[in-house]
Amino acid sequence: MQKVTLEQAKLHLRVDGAEEDGLITGLIAAAYGAIEGKTFRKVVVALSEEPDPREVPVDGVINSAALLLIGHLYTNRGDTDEELPK
């Protein structure tokens, strides 16, 4: 399974046009970074040949969490005291 794409994130956010593509691409990276920080594992598309317990393959649950975080970060841009969803 692949990580969330720009097109999937834009569909989730209900964003048309390309004006915010750079922002949304950054939010995708930030979402996976937050997931990795909370799980202490690197989210990878495919596991290495030699199993590494510090890696976790991307799946539907991880992508759903990423979309939740992307939506939260997109809605709460700028100076805010909002915490990330748990």
Side-chain angles (χ1 to χ4, degrees):
M1 178 171 266
Q2 298 294 317
K3 291 183 178 181
V4 171
T5 65
L6 175 61
E7 291 75 26
Q8 290 170 325
K10 287 173 69 172
L11 182 63
H12 177 73
L13 297 171
R14 298 181 183 180
V15 171
D16 293 324
E19 299 85 25
E20 296 186 302
D21 284 3
L23 169 68
I24 296 169
T25 299
L27 296 179
I28 294 169
Y32 284 103
I35 292 168
E36 291 173 350
K38 288 288 186 184
T39 62
F40 301 104
R41 293 186 176 178
K42 179 152 181 61
V43 177
V44 295
V45 174
L47 292 174
S48 305
E49 297 254 338
E50 294 183 28
D52 184 343
R54 295 169 296 183
E55 292 182 341
V56 62
V58 69
D59 63 11
V61 173
I62 290 174
N63 280 346
S64 292
L67 287 171
L68 176 69
L69 289 169
I70 292 164
H72 176 80
L73 294 170
Y74 184 81
T75 302
N76 298 290
R77 291 179 270 178
D79 292 332
T80 180
D81 292 332
E82 288 290 322
E83 291 186 24
L84 291 176
K86 295 190 185 290

